[in-house]
Each structure stands twice: as structure tokens, then as C-alpha cells.
Amino acid sequence: MIDYEKQSLKLIETAEKLLSDNTVDVVLGVKDNPEVGWPTPYFARKPEDAKKLVWTEDCHVNLANYLTEVKGKKAAIAAKACDVRSIINLIAENQLSRGDITIIGMECAGKMQNEKLASACDACPASVPNLYDIAIAADGSETYKNLEMPNSSENVTEWAIHTTVEERLDRFMKEIDKCILCFACRQACQGCYCVTCFIDRKATPWEQVDADTATKMAFHLTRAMHLAGRCTDCGACEKVCPSGVNLKYLFKGLSEFVEETYDFKAGMDPEATPVLDRYSSDDKQVAFLGGDSIVGI
Amino acid sequence: MSAYKLDIARVKAALEKLMEKYTVIAPVMNGDRLDYAEVTEVNDVILDNQLPYKSPKEMVFPRVEKVMRFLEGKVEEAQDIKPVLLVGAKPCDVAAMRIFDDIFTGDKGKFQDPFYLNRRNSLTIIGLGCTDYKNGCFCNIRGTDLSFAPDCDGFLNMVGDSFIYQPLTDKGKDIFTGEETEPVKRADKHEEELVLNAKESEVFTTMPWEAYAEGCIGCGTCTYLCPTCHCFNLRDAEDKGVVTRTRVWDSCMYPKFTLHAGGHNPRTKKSERFRQRVLHKYLYIPENYDHTACTGCGRCIRACPGGLNIMNTVTDIKKRLEEAKK
Amino acid sequence: MSERAQVTDAVTKEWTPKIVAFLCNWCSYAGADLAGTSRIQYPPSIRVIRVPCSGRVNPQYIIKALSDGADGVMVSGCHPGDCHYLEGNYYARRRFSILKRLLSLAGFHPDRVQFTWVSASEGARFAEVVTTVTDKIKALGPSKHGGRDGQAQ
């Protein structure tokens, strides 16, 4: 379906060209890493570096995060559809400037992790990025093929309607029980770019970081709240967790709610104002005493 | 002491018995990965060539440990714990225990950590030899033997279908028995090739630390999985008049690790934090304890989402040092 | 049994929930004052925290209260369009709607978190709201979530 060899060659060729004519200072991509078992981030800074770049079926890393680190420099990034949603999100929130970034849009039909389709990928709506400067299609050409995506992820709203509060609490507790509060999920997340995270603030002892249930609950719920309408479903949090915590359903459930109630989807339009940064005087009275009832739940 | 030969059924039968006296910790499957965990069913125990995902340091140095409680003028200290038997610790993990012993009984026993010693003294370690290297392992160039570790109470080796058990201390004497046999002949001990014989000034600013650490996302997974990382923080938490002091793991890969009370932070860049991790293991601990604090288990390399590689980094530093000398 | 579970009504000796109430300074807090000065009775279950505006209530405060073991949380501000700061409660409305969905997904009963509008002149309504909220949370029983050390009660 996807010719990774041709995509790799095309990517190297593109990166070499961009670096040698000084269009960009750095190309963000991935290189082989036999120890880890899948390709890991690589920053190509010289035209001869470009040869190390690869593109494979298991290069599932979201590189958007690294763009904030090379801020101010001209950077090109090899990006899948989900990475591009993250980049758009960062542009919309004034973390990146569009003019500095050259997006090399890689066509993608889902990435493999541990020999199966990464669980984030089954929710992916499109094989093609919605914003790009240079296209590298499935066959290495420049015309996207618009491959069919599995799109078989669970509908969290449906799930919530058909479960009881206790069942939902069970699922949540089972996940956070595994958590060791290492905050790898936060570090890997494109949306978590705060200089000092609320959980790290020293001035107010809101949270004491000893892995008790109350702290874990407060951390994960607040993080989910902060990512409401901003999560781009890239699955980086889940891929990076050393304990196998998977709370993506919370983020997904909120995305569904935001889309349904406020008609907003993260990572679609770099010009859009984030959903919690604006209001409308005729917003529904969802969740209010005597107001419009919350759908199903 | 002589050695005993026994098959897996006998090992498991012995473990079943030992579970009455000890809390038995051994490699068991946790979801789809192998972890050192408490054994509830003997048949779950997996003794083979695989390396568990996490290191067993939690047995002596728990992630969260309550060290004290202050209540109504009383101070409660740590309590006695049931003896723990750790079976199936890999040579690299056993070697790490020695480093822990040095750290927590610092300056040749002058500074003793009671909470550590309490757990260490009630712990019996039975090592288990590897039969092959795994992806990312570099214990051979770190001088760790594949099939023997001197710092445990007894050692199991897989020979064909059966095990050969060699007791090493009094604690390990009666753990397993079987028909007497010759101890497994030790393979030649590897040389510690991967060491840094350098001064701090030679590497601190001259090496390309930014390039080594560019993939780092600061998640700290490397330090959480490392069998020798031992940095911690003490926290006091108040709840309804009772103050609990807990010791929790900390990590040099977090920006907040070096944040001073006055607001200054001497290590703000990720390259500086990675440099600290590498040099602490390969330069600072050797200065104080005569050995390098890395056993070559490769966990940090395999788990790193950013692809940082301590082995390649140190190899590269060595290469650059040699070139500089020429 | 924790202290939390032992809180009982002084008169009826039955369990009363602990509810944290965030009230906006300009409307709901004044409404609560009016209820008091008018000698209107309402259950003694709420612990009032006065905030400048319902838009000031960080969702984290609500999460913190619940994860530390509060039986319920109530937030009350000015009616939409009446905000002292013109638009604070509009922002709050979106935020709370999303928060309530989040808590519901994570297994908190939706009735444990209540949002409402009470103006400065609605003393009677304030009493009514507190009664309704208390009844709803009472029906759910003590919170099973959180508490330090995970000692859920």
C-alpha cells in the first residue's frame, strides 16, 4: 500500500535540497535505531546528514514537539497527518510561526507499534495532512493517493452512554493505578508546552507529588481538562508511558463533546481561536442546574 | 560450597515452600511485559533469558517510601518488614545492588541509611544467568559477567533443561537443593572497556552535549528504569494534623531537579541534564567509589522515546578524547 | 472511619454531605447574604469560598476538591449577560460544560458537580438551589473518590 523505500528516498532528496540551498537550517525527521526497535528523532543540519533520514512503517514519533525547541530557526519537518494537526494547533496558539516551518507532508496509512497498528492510528480520519508545503505521497510521488483509513476507534460518547458511573470509575481507576507520576505523557504531548506545569509549581502546594490516588487523579483530570479541544489524537502520551497507562479515551471523549457542542475540532485551521478562548452568548446551558441536559450521560 | 542440579519443577516446588516464609519477588508477566513482581502463583514465574522491563531496585529503594510520621508529638519511624526473596535477578541487576550498597552506606559505612539497610538486610537475592545478549545490552563492555554475579546470595544457571544452583552466602545456603554437582565453570571475566579515564574539565564543555541530547523530551523514563539511579527527594505532606515525610524518586532529567529555593536553576538545558546523567555514572561515582555506576543493562537505551544512547555517547566521548591526545 | 464520614447533622444525626461552594462576589455571594439576612433556612452542608467571578474558578479547584474527598462541588455566578466583568461567566459556562463531561467520563456522578446562576436579589432562590444540590448529593451518599493515600470512604 505504501512504498516506504520510495518515500525514504524522496525524503532524503527533499531534505538534501532544502539544506543545501539554505531554505532551512534543520530538517526534523527520524533515523534508524535498532536498540529501541523503531526509528527515533533525528535533526539533520547539514546536507550530508540527510542520508541518515528514514521513513518506515513504525516511525510513529510525533515530531511536532521538537519544533518549539528550534523556534526562531527555519525548520523543515517530515510530518504525518497527526503531526500536522499538532503543528496547526501550535500555530493557532502562537507557539510557532507558520513562516518558519516547511512541512513535508508524508502520506501515512497508520503506523505500527509492537507489530500491530498503533492504537492511536485507528482513530485517524485521513491519510493526507491538511496543511503542507511539500507532498510525499504513498508511492513517493507528489500527488497524494488519499488512502482509505481504518477509522475503527471506539466512540467514547457511545461507550459512556451504555455504561454506569461505577463502570466508568472502574476504568479510570484501573488506568491511574498504573501511573507512577513520571510525567512522560506531559513531556511527550504537543499541547503541554507550559514553561512550568501546574503540578510542578512550588509557590502553592496544590499537589504533593507522592504517588497517591488523589494526586494522580488531580494530575490526569486537570491535564485532560487543559487538553479539551486541543488534543489532536496523536497518541504520543500513550506510546511513551513506561507503565502502560492509557487515558486517551478521556481526551477523545472531550474532543467528541467539543465537536458536537461547539462545532470545533483541534488541528484543522491555523487561524482558528481555540475553543476555550472564546464564547458565544447563546452557548447551550449544558451541565447547568435546570439547563439543557447533557446528552445521554 | 558445592553446587546443586535441579529441574524447573523442583525450583517451583521449592519456591512454593519459600513463599510461606518470604515475600517472593520474581520475573512474572505483567500484561504483555516481564516485570519483577510479587509471586502469587508459582507457575507464573518465568526464569529464562529475558530481561524484565524494570529493574528490581524497588525492593530496596521503593518509589514512594514513608520514612516518618509526626503525630501528636510522636515520631514514627519505618517498621520491620517481612523478609523478601528476590529470585531471578539478572547479573546486571545484581551488580547494581553493589553500587546501591556503596551509596547508601556511604564513606565506608560512615553514613548509613537506616531505611535502605532495613530493606537490604531482609532481602535475599538469587541471581539468574543470562544465556545470550539482548538488543541494546552492553554488559560485556561494562565488565558484567553473563553467567555469574558475585554480589548475591546464590546463583542459578540454566544448563540445558535444568538449573544449577550455587549458594554463595549463608543466607542463600538452603534456598534450593538438589543432587550435588560441580559449579558452572565461569566464562572469562570481561574487561571493563567502557570507562571514562578523564578529568571533568576535559569533557564538561568540549563534548557536543547538545547533539547527544537533542532527542530528549525530559520524560525521565531512563532514570526510572535504571538499576543504579538512586536520586530522591524528601517531601512533607500534611493531612488532618498528621505530617508524613515521604521519600520519592527524583530524576536529574527533570528541569525542577536542580531548582534552588531562591529561584535559580543551574541546569536549565536538556543537554546539561543529560551531561549530568552520563557524567554522574561514568565520572563522579568512579571518583568516589572506584567503580562506574552503569551495569550495561541497556534499559535506558531500549526505552528512550528520543533515541538517546548512553553507550554510543560514552564511546564517542572516548573516541574524541583519544583524538585530542594525538 | 474517617473524619469525613463522621460529619453528621447536629439535629437529625444523619450524614450530611460536605459541599464546596464557589460563589461569585457580585451576585451569588450577595444572594447568599440576602438569604441569611432574610432568615431563609437552607441546609448547612456548603462551605463557601468567595471568588471575584465564576470565571475565576479554575477547573483545577473543582478537581482538587473532589480528588481530596469533597462529596460535591457547587459553583454559582451571575446570570449570563449580567457579569460584573461583562464576559467572565460566558467563558466559565464553556469551561464548566466541558469539565462536567470530563468528570462524568472519569466516573464521577454528574450530580456531584453543580453549576448554577444566582443573582444578588435571589436570596430565596439561593436557598432553594442549596437545598436541591444537597438533596441530590445526599442521595448519592459519601464520595467514593480520592482522599489522601487513596483511603476512599
Side-chain angles (χ1 to χ4, degrees):
Chain A
M1 195 154 62
I2 287 195
D3 192 333
Y4 291 104
E5 211 163 297
K6 284 212 179 117
Q7 276 195 320
S8 296
L9 287 174
K10 181 78 185 168
L11 176 62
I12 293 171
E13 188 191 310
T14 313
E16 265 172 356
K17 190 166 161 288
L18 287 171
L19 286 164
S20 52
D21 61 15
N22 281 326
T23 318
V24 297
D25 303 318
V26 57
V27 177
L28 270 72
V30 291
K31 67 165 182 201
D32 258 332
N33 192 331
E35 281 87 8
V36 176
W38 55 77
T40 47
Y42 181 64
F43 296 50
R45 293 174 204 274
K46 289 187 276 275
E48 56 266 31
D49 286 351
K51 282 187 193 61
K52 284 197 185 164
L53 293 170
V54 292
W55 201 256
T56 63
E57 61 168 7
D58 50 4
C59 58
H60 52 60
V61 187
N62 184 351
L63 292 166
N65 238 354
Y66 293 101
L67 277 178
T68 47
E69 286 188 22
V70 291
K71 216 193 245 174
K73 285 185 188 150
K74 298 267 179 209
I77 178 169
K80 311 179 285 295
C82 52
D83 305 354
V84 170
R85 290 199 297 273
S86 308
I87 295 168
I88 291 176
N89 203 29
L90 288 166
I91 296 171
E93 294 174 5
N94 295 325
Q95 296 303 308
L96 295 174
S97 113
R98 177 70 181 97
D100 288 346
I101 312 161
T102 308
I103 300 172
I104 308 172
M106 309 294 291
E107 188 156 19
C108 164
K111 292 290 171 193
M112 308 293 275
Q113 191 184 15
N114 298 330
E115 282 147 30
K116 52 179 191 277
L117 191 71
S119 77
C121 295
D122 61 13
C124 194
S127 71
V128 172
N130 46 354
L131 180 75
Y132 57 90
D133 301 303
I134 300 163
I136 298 184
D139 56 357
S141 71
E142 279 167 28
T143 2
Y144 282 132
K145 299 284 169 288
N146 281 305
L147 304 171
E148 210 165 289
M149 299 301 283
N151 218 341
S152 57
S153 72
E154 71 172 317
N155 183 318
V156 181
T157 314
E158 279 294 308
W159 165 79
I161 290 170
H162 293 111
T163 44
T164 63
V165 180
E166 284 75 25
E167 282 166 337
R168 297 201 288 273
L169 182 67
D170 262 5
R171 178 167 180 185
F172 181 61
M173 283 304 193
K174 221 180 258 164
E175 293 297 339
I176 67 166
D177 254 2
K178 296 184 252 175
C179 175
I180 59 171
L181 285 177
C182 68
F183 308 129
C185 47
R186 172 192 79 191
Q187 295 300 122
C189 179
Q190 48 84 21
C192 284
Y193 52 70
C194 286
V195 177
T196 308
C197 178
F198 72 94
I199 201 103
D200 278 348
R201 274 191 311 228
K202 268 246 161 86
T204 46
W206 285 112
E207 314 302 337
Q208 282 127 356
V209 185
D210 37 15
D212 68 10
T213 315
T215 311
K216 288 195 237 180
M217 212 181 241
F219 171 68
H220 287 293
L221 288 177
T222 311
R223 199 175 92 83
M225 188 62 210
H226 287 179
L227 282 167
R230 301 174 59 232
C231 174
T232 54
D233 240 344
C234 70
C237 50
E238 168 200 351
K239 286 169 193 159
V240 82
C241 180
S243 308
V245 178
N246 186 357
L247 288 170
K248 227 186 69 220
Y249 75 99
L250 286 184
F251 305 126
K252 176 127 198 305
L254 288 185
S255 300
E256 285 167 13
F257 178 74
V258 166
E259 196 179 350
E260 185 190 304
T261 322
Y262 304 113
D263 196 22
F264 179 87
K265 218 167 172 250
M268 289 298 137
D269 178 9
E271 309 283 315
T273 315
V275 68
L276 283 173
D277 267 17
R278 57 193 165 93
Y279 65 88
S280 151
S281 53
D282 46 285
D283 274 343
K284 278 186 203 147
Q285 297 271 27
V286 184
F288 283 80
L289 207 59
D292 307 318
S293 71
I294 220 164
V295 202
I297 312 169
Chain B
M1 279 181 238
S2 58
Y4 306 103
K5 188 175 177 179
L6 63 170
D7 59 8
I8 185 73
R10 273 188 90 164
V11 171
K12 288 192 169 165
L15 281 179
E16 181 101 66
K17 261 213 163 127
L18 289 161
M19 275 163 67
E20 292 160 16
K21 195 176 151 203
Y22 295 95
T23 306
V24 176
I25 311 285
V28 290
M29 287 311 280
N30 175 10
D32 51 3
R33 73 181 190 217
L34 195 66
D35 267 335
Y36 292 111
E38 187 173 345
V39 179
T40 46
E41 168 59 49
V42 191
N43 284 324
D44 294 345
V45 177
I46 295 170
L47 297 175
D48 62 9
N49 187 40
Q50 293 177 68
L51 183 71
Y53 184 73
K54 291 193 224 168
S55 84
K57 68 175 170 186
E58 280 177 76
M59 304 311 135
V60 284
F61 179 53
R63 196 160 38 77
V64 180
E65 183 173 32
K66 292 203 167 65
V67 293
M68 265 182 210
R69 294 209 309 158
F70 307 100
L71 61 165
E72 290 161 9
K74 273 193 308 200
V75 176
E76 265 181 21
E77 280 203 20
Q79 316 207 323
D80 284 340
I81 25 186
K82 197 182 166 190
V84 178
L85 177 70
L86 172 63
V87 178
K90 294 290 175 182
C92 47
D93 293 334
V94 176
M97 284 296 165
R98 195 174 127 219
I99 293 156
F100 264 72
D101 285 347
D102 280 347
I103 305 282
F104 286 100
T105 58
D107 207 1
K108 300 189 180 64
K110 198 168 143 201
F111 302 108
Q112 300 205 329
D113 185 305
F115 307 103
Y116 174 79
L117 280 177
N118 194 8
R119 287 179 192 273
R120 185 70 178 89
N121 291 336
S122 58
L123 179 70
T124 308
I125 305 174
I126 308 298
L128 173 69
C130 283
T131 50
D132 205 358
Y133 297 102
K134 272 113 356 217
N135 199 1
C137 284
F138 59 105
C139 52
N140 53 339
I141 51 172
R142 281 288 321 120
T144 306
D145 247 8
L146 204 56
S147 58
F148 187 74
D151 302 305
C152 53
D153 300 296
F155 204 85
L156 281 170
N157 261 311
M158 282 170 278
V159 181
D161 287 343
S162 52
F163 290 88
I164 290 185
Y165 177 66
Q166 187 184 358
L168 296 168
T169 64
D170 284 346
K171 264 194 201 168
K173 204 168 62 186
D174 300 319
I175 299 290
F176 299 113
T177 50
E179 39 191 289
E180 277 196 33
T181 172
E182 282 297 300
V184 176
K185 201 162 163 271
R186 279 182 68 180
D188 287 339
K189 196 172 167 6
H190 291 292
E191 278 301 311
E192 269 192 60
E193 284 169 34
L194 198 69
V195 284
L196 274 188
N197 292 316
K199 286 198 196 74
E200 192 184 15
S201 58
E202 289 175 284
V203 291
F204 202 71
T205 50
T206 49
M207 295 300 154
W209 295 106
E210 271 91 11
Y212 294 149
E214 62 187 2
C216 178
I217 61 167
C219 66
T221 300
C222 46
T223 53
Y224 273 43
L225 298 180
C226 176
T228 68
C229 273
H230 53 265
C231 288
F232 59 82
N233 196 1
L234 285 169
R235 288 171 185 277
D236 289 342
E238 192 261 6
D239 188 24
K240 299 188 191 77
V242 180
V243 178
T244 315
R245 176 165 297 175
T246 38
R247 169 151 91 181
V248 292
W249 287 2
D250 207 341
S251 164
C252 56
M253 302 308 278
Y254 296 155
K256 234 180 77 176
F257 183 71
T258 42
L259 180 63
H260 296 179
H264 173 61
N265 194 344
R267 285 204 286 268
T268 48
K269 285 195 283 190
K270 62 184 186 182
S271 57
E272 294 166 342
R273 297 193 283 270
F274 181 63
R275 176 175 66 196
Q276 168 65 18
R277 186 163 80 87
V278 175
L279 293 187
H280 192 202
K281 294 197 183 309
Y282 280 87
L283 210 65
Y284 306 144
I285 289 193
E287 272 175 17
N288 295 322
Y289 299 103
D290 310 322
H291 54 69
T292 301
C294 173
T295 65
C297 68
R299 285 189 176 93
C300 56
I301 299 173
R302 281 185 291 263
C304 181
L308 272 64
N309 189 320
I310 195 168
M311 184 190 77
N312 290 351
T313 303
V314 178
T315 315
D316 190 64
I317 292 174
K318 280 185 70 174
K319 207 174 85 197
R320 281 166 193 272
L321 282 172
E322 270 161 34
E323 273 167 18
K325 266 185 198 136
K326 273 176 199 165
Chain C
M1 229 195 210
S2 84
E3 193 198 332
R4 203 164 29 247
Q6 287 166 357
V7 178
T8 51
D9 191 302
V11 184
T12 57
K13 302 283 176 218
E14 65 179 281
W15 171 78
T16 42
K18 261 191 188 175
I19 301 169
V20 180
F22 294 96
L23 305 183
C24 123
N25 180 48
W26 304 100
C27 293
S28 301
Y29 195 84
D33 257 357
L34 184 63
T37 45
S38 320
R39 309 283 166 112
I40 305 171
Q41 294 286 323
Y42 62 84
S45 55
I46 59 167
R47 276 79 174 147
V48 177
I49 295 172
R50 178 159 66 157
V51 289
C53 176
S54 50
R56 172 68 185 88
V57 179
N58 188 331
Q60 200 189 337
Y61 300 168
I62 300 168
I63 291 166
K64 169 83 175 164
L66 289 171
S67 64
D68 269 9
D71 298 309
V73 175
M74 178 183 134
V75 183
S76 181
C78 307
H79 284 275
D82 291 348
C83 180
H84 184 80
Y85 306 101
L86 308 178
E87 50 181 22
N89 56 0
Y90 282 130
Y91 284 114
R93 182 162 64 181
R94 279 204 168 187
R95 217 178 288 151
F96 295 152
S97 303
I98 293 174
L99 177 67
K100 189 148 177 171
R101 169 57 63 100
L102 168 67
L103 291 172
S104 163
L105 284 174
F108 289 81
H109 199 286
D111 282 351
R112 286 204 192 275
V113 204
Q114 299 287 356
F115 304 106
T116 182
W117 315 124
V118 174
S119 83
S121 60
E122 294 176 324
R125 189 177 130 78
F126 182 80
E128 196 188 305
V129 163
V130 175
T131 315
T132 320
V133 169
T134 308
D135 285 349
K136 282 186 177 213
I137 294 171
K138 220 173 199 172
L140 296 173
S143 166
K144 293 181 208 68
H145 322 285
R148 289 273 154 212
D149 292 326
Q151 287 161 354
Q153 289 291 337

